[in-house]
Amino acid sequence: MNTKKIISCVVAPLVITGLLVYSVNEYCVRKTEEWYPTSGVWRLYNNDVKDKGIALLNLSVKNGHMMMFGTSELNNSPDIKVTTVPTSFYPNQYLNREVDIVGYAGADTLINAIRLGSITNLGNVPSVYISSFAWFIDKEYYKEGIQKNFSELQYYKFMNNPRVSGETKKEISRAVVYVLDNKKMFNESILYAKLYSDNTFLKQLARVMLKPFYEARYAYLNFRDNIRAYKLVKKYQNKYRYQEKNIKWQEDRDIVAKQSRALCTTTPSEMFAYKKWYNWHKNNDIDEHKDKFIKSTVGDSKEYDYHELLLKVVSEEKIKPLVILTSANGYYWDFAGLAKSERIKYFDKCILLQEKYDIPYLNLAYMSYIPYTFRDQAHYTSQGWFEVNEKITKHFTK
């Protein structure tokens, strides 16, 4: 085959395809950025395009939003009847920022260690990381939750972050191998994590040989993320209008307390939880919850290792997110057999880690026995979220 045929049959199609992909990518990036401010997509809960991607999280930071990383407590559906979830509380006259809620149900410490290290310029905006004592029950309370929320793109972006040390990347990679191994849907990620979990000669050699493949895969995942971000923002463009909330601390506190009391039971034996939640369990499976966790422990969970990894990442990134150590419904957990003396170990151990790395935190253990604070065993009512949001607001505006 002569040179002209090679150019016309091989090189020209590759060049044309490359230019087409580049043009499509640049168009999507430009239009996504243009439409983003009126889309309100940062208010979407449990959205894989946003939460597992990079493009929209970076745009949130670029637009000055407060970033809030958590799990099921961020649910802002009207069905839960909580009027003070973060998307209903911000922006306000004290903290005039939109809030991007990032996360879904599951034990998310490891996921957020990766996620926080994958976002560009996160230190330019206030950020909040919400931790839950329930993830720290026994050695592994909810490993599947980590698998469900894992993002291959965010992991590769994290591993390309020059501010994170090689040792921290190795520790994260070992954790990724442990969590994802034997899950066929994560084959590429597992292999990558195994190659970067230590520096043996054979693994270094394999990394060099496979580098072109992983660079191409990273480019593909980035391109796909930009396409998905474009489609999502296009769907919601011009459907959101900025509205600042006017917070009156004492007046609003009285309103949400009254609302929460109306929805909740009124006695410790009924756990001061939502009537609907308590009555359903009372009529169906309440006996199964009695002393369910009597043999459980809280002090030896792998989540503490992940929590320390998260603190290492943000320390190396030189950012200081506010870490919220959330409480849970003490009346329920007493009924379920997990004593307060055991539960408090979560707060004690995490506080030691927070102070070791000099990362600010809120210790919300005191909320465990405040009536009408929880709608079930762990999630806040309007009264509970009002208390948390007040502390967040005052932390970032003091």
Side-chain angles (χ1 to χ4, degrees), residues 126-359:
S127 58
V128 177
Y129 168 64
I130 303 174
S131 175
S132 171
F133 112 90
W135 308 341
F136 294 75
I137 296 175
D138 295 326
K139 194 69 177 177
E140 282 184 309
Y141 184 59
Y142 194 32
K143 185 176 180 180
E144 292 79 8
I146 306 176
Q147 296 165 355
K148 179 175 61 178
N149 291 310
F150 179 77
S151 165
E152 184 181 4
L153 174 60
Q154 289 177 0
Y155 173 52
Y156 295 153
K157 183 70 183 298
F158 167 85
M159 293 296 287
N160 287 330
N161 186 343
R163 294 178 300 280
V164 177
S165 70
E167 186 56 40
T168 299
K169 289 176 181 177
K170 281 194 288 186
E171 291 184 63
I172 289 284
S173 294
R174 292 184 196 120
V176 168
V177 171
Y178 173 77
V179 169
L180 300 185
D181 210 3
N182 299 319
K183 298 294 180 181
K184 293 183 178 179
M185 69 182 74
F186 299 114
N187 283 339
E188 292 87 354
S189 303
I190 294 169
L191 175 59
Y192 187 93
K194 285 181 177 179
L195 294 178
Y196 281 86
S197 60
D198 55 56
N199 286 323
T200 64
F201 173 76
L202 289 178
K203 288 185 177 179
Q204 289 184 60
L205 179 62
R207 290 204 299 259
V208 172
M209 294 174 64
L210 289 172
K211 185 177 180 180
F213 167 78
Y214 278 106
E215 286 183 345
R217 182 157 182 82
Y218 177 57
Y220 159 72
L221 292 172
N222 258 318
F223 176 65
R224 186 180 68 173
D225 182 41
N226 287 334
I227 297 291
R228 290 177 172 178
Y230 164 80
K231 289 180 178 179
L232 184 68
V233 171
K234 183 180 180 181
K235 176 182 176 181
Y236 286 95
Q237 66 167 315
N238 296 322
K239 292 187 178 180
Y240 174 75
R241 292 291 182 272
Y242 171 88
Q243 183 178 0
E244 183 181 281
K245 284 73 178 177
N246 184 29
I247 305 297
K248 300 176 181 177
W249 292 121
Q250 190 56 54
E251 182 179 329
D252 290 345
R253 185 180 294 107
D254 293 342
I255 291 172
V256 297
K258 183 177 180 180
Q259 178 204 35
S260 297
R261 282 197 301 271
L263 292 169
C264 289
T265 59
T266 57
T267 64
S269 62
E270 296 173 324
M271 307 173 197
F272 291 110
Y274 272 6
K275 297 171 187 176
K276 182 178 180 180
W277 179 86
Y278 177 78
N279 289 334
W280 188 93
H281 286 288
K282 180 181 178 181
N283 295 328
N284 289 276
D285 66 352
I286 196 69
D287 292 337
E288 296 176 19
H289 290 262
K290 178 65 176 174
D291 292 333
K292 179 180 179 180
F293 292 95
I294 198 167
K295 295 182 180 180
S296 291
T297 60
V298 176
D300 60 350
S301 171
K302 291 183 70 66
E303 288 294 320
Y304 294 109
D305 298 331
Y306 302 151
H307 192 91
E308 183 162 14
L309 279 175
L310 184 146
L311 298 179
K312 284 183 180 180
V313 170
V314 298
S315 294
E316 291 172 0
E317 282 268 58
K318 293 183 169 45
I319 58 178
K320 288 185 178 291
L322 176 63
V323 175
I324 299 181
L325 306 176
T326 60
S327 51
N329 190 336
Y331 301 102
Y332 168 84
W333 291 99
D334 288 343
F335 178 80
L338 192 59
K340 180 181 179 181
S341 58
E342 186 66 27
R343 302 195 306 268
I344 204 69
K345 292 177 182 177
Y346 156 72
F347 297 96
D348 292 341
K349 294 191 71 168
C350 283
I351 287 170
L352 286 176
L353 290 172
Q354 294 295 136
E355 294 178 347
K356 174 182 176 180
Y357 290 90
D358 190 29
I359 303 297

